[in-house]
Amino acid sequence: MASTAAAKSPVTIRLCGPRGFCAGVDRAIQIVVLALKEFGAPVYVRHEIVHNRYVVEGLEAKGAIFVEELDEIPPEHRKQPVVFSAHGVPKSVPADADARNLFYLDATCPLVSKVHKQAMRHHRLGRHVVLIGHAGHPEVIGTMGQLPEGAVSLVETVEDADVYMPPDPDNLGFVTQTTLSVDDTAGVIKRLHERFPNLTAPAADSICYATTNRQEAVKQAAPGCDLFLIVGAPNSSNSKRLVEVALRAGAKKSILVQRASEIDWEAIGDISTVGLSAGASAPEVIVNEIIEAFRERYDAAVELADTVEENENFLVNREIRHVELTAADMAFVNGE
């Protein structure tokens, strides 16, 4: 054993902080767990509660059933709760739930709800709303669905901003998806302002604190990294942005992985410094799993690369606030 340990190559793992779950994701998962404790299985969830298969499968094991639309809930379960995902939903979804006499718990992240309110305020003040975001993302669908059809225009890139033709160039307000690249979004906003000087910003930044903090931590840690691993799902916007940020900030290579089993150890090559972070919907247990996988193969030393401390906490819905949440309830994502 001693000779095997001696043969391991040394590797430094720069472990970013903050990383992983943000307050909105933590709250959404807690809502499903608490609903299961209070009302029993099944609890239905419309769309993935957060973009992470490990989390979804962990909740399924506890009795959650994931559906894409409310008409998939069978008549015999109409009295069971249905939870709306952290990404937010169009206004048509709670209206549909009311029409079906369903009891629902809205797990929309409060910071996404803030963007909804910003968009509605622009609209109320007579402005056409420009939403900077990614087409087809659930959060974008939810934000556009807060306002009448045609009231919101989606702009994804600087190139889109170059050709965008608004109904009234002097009466525009913008909001953004919460999980975008801070740098990319700044470029789009700059171009829109150049073309439309009267463009009105929201009252507060739409990109959420967690997205900004995780990107900043990765920026600080990336220079000198031979490899930067981001834990997250392929459909997680904020996780994919972290891969891009790591490469721009100086990492030689950056890849997105959902589990340690996805790492191609043969392709890694000769490495001495590895960056490690996790998107806002990626659980800490997988970060720990990846560190252990490195320790099995390398003489790995973990170096903390912390930038700011996060202490945000969002309350769960009033209907389930009285239910006790224990560490054991959340061990499937947080570890023991």
Side-chain angles (χ1 to χ4, degrees), residues 243-259:
V243 172
E244 297 163 1
V245 167
L247 290 171
R248 285 183 190 169
K252 291 178 185 172
K253 184 178 181 182
S254 183
I255 56 175
L256 184 69
V257 293
Q258 297 187 83
R259 301 293 301 272

Side-chain angles (χ1 to χ4, degrees), residues 177-254:
Q177 187 178 328
T178 62
T179 55
L180 300 178
S181 158
V182 174
D183 294 337
D184 286 349
T185 307
V188 177
I189 294 169
K190 179 174 181 286
R191 187 69 190 106
L192 286 169
H193 269 302
E194 287 169 354
R195 292 194 62 214
F196 313 111
N198 292 330
L199 177 71
T200 303
D205 195 356
S206 297
I207 296 178
C208 82
Y209 77 90
T211 298
T212 304
N213 289 349
R214 278 149 193 70
Q215 289 180 19
E216 191 56 38
V218 168
K219 275 185 195 176
Q220 297 291 326
C225 284
D226 304 300
L227 173 68
F228 214 112
L229 292 174
I230 303 296
V231 182
N235 60 339
S236 166
S237 173
N238 78 88
S239 299
K240 291 196 290 187
R241 301 295 80 75
L242 290 177
V243 172
E244 297 163 1
V245 167
L247 290 171
R248 285 183 190 169
K252 291 178 185 172
K253 184 178 181 182
S254 183

Side-chain angles (χ1 to χ4, degrees), residues 15-238:
L15 182 61
C16 289
R19 64 181 175 277
F21 284 177
C22 61
V25 163
D26 205 30
R27 172 182 179 268
I29 297 166
Q30 288 178 21
I31 288 169
V32 180
V33 170
L34 292 171
L36 284 162
K37 288 186 80 170
E38 176 71 357
F39 303 104
V43 166
Y44 285 85
V45 185
R46 184 188 176 277
H47 189 68
E48 289 187 341
I49 186 71
V50 297
H51 282 158
N52 190 277
R53 278 309 307 169
Y54 182 93
V55 172
V56 168
E57 288 167 5
L59 291 170
E60 284 175 334
K62 290 177 175 287
I65 297 175
F66 289 81
V67 296
E68 283 305 306
E69 296 301 340
L70 300 181
D71 61 9
E72 296 173 49
I73 300 173
E76 63 270 22
H77 288 160
R78 289 286 165 85
K79 297 297 182 189
Q80 290 297 105
V82 58
V83 180
F84 300 153
S85 82
H87 309 101
V89 294
K91 281 187 173 178
S92 58
V93 173
D96 185 23
D98 287 335
R100 295 172 186 275
N101 291 317
L102 296 174
F103 167 51
Y104 62 86
L105 295 166
D106 190 352
T108 299
C109 172
L111 299 180
V112 174
S113 296
K114 183 183 81 172
V115 175
H116 292 177
K117 289 170 187 166
Q118 290 169 344
M120 288 188 281
R121 183 174 186 274
H122 281 318
H123 182 67
R124 190 173 68 249
L125 294 172
R127 300 173 191 137
H128 184 80
V129 179
V130 178
L131 170 60
I132 302 167
H134 297 298
H137 190 279
E139 185 186 325
V140 166
I141 294 167
T143 300
M144 294 184 81
Q146 301 307 304
L147 295 174
E149 193 168 347
V152 184
S153 297
L154 182 65
V155 171
E156 295 194 65
T157 63
V158 172
E159 290 73 24
D160 288 348
D162 278 332
V163 297
Y164 173 56
M165 299 298 290
D168 181 355
D170 292 322
N171 219 6
L172 294 173
F174 78 86
V175 294
T176 79
Q177 187 178 328
T178 62
T179 55
L180 300 178
S181 158
V182 174
D183 294 337
D184 286 349
T185 307
V188 177
I189 294 169
K190 179 174 181 286
R191 187 69 190 106
L192 286 169
H193 269 302
E194 287 169 354
R195 292 194 62 214
F196 313 111
N198 292 330
L199 177 71
T200 303
D205 195 356
S206 297
I207 296 178
C208 82
Y209 77 90
T211 298
T212 304
N213 289 349
R214 278 149 193 70
Q215 289 180 19
E216 191 56 38
V218 168
K219 275 185 195 176
Q220 297 291 326
C225 284
D226 304 300
L227 173 68
F228 214 112
L229 292 174
I230 303 296
V231 182
N235 60 339
S236 166
S237 173
N238 78 88

Side-chain angles (χ1 to χ4, degrees), residues 280-315:
S281 46
E284 186 68 6
V285 289
I286 300 179
V287 174
N288 295 335
E289 173 188 283
I290 287 171
I291 292 171
E292 287 309 308
F294 269 91
R295 283 178 171 152
E296 287 171 14
R297 295 164 176 82
Y298 297 89
D299 179 14
V302 176
E303 179 184 282
L304 296 180
D306 293 340
T307 50
V308 297
E309 184 179 340
E310 291 179 350
N311 50 23
E312 284 78 4
N313 180 48
F314 298 143
L315 290 173

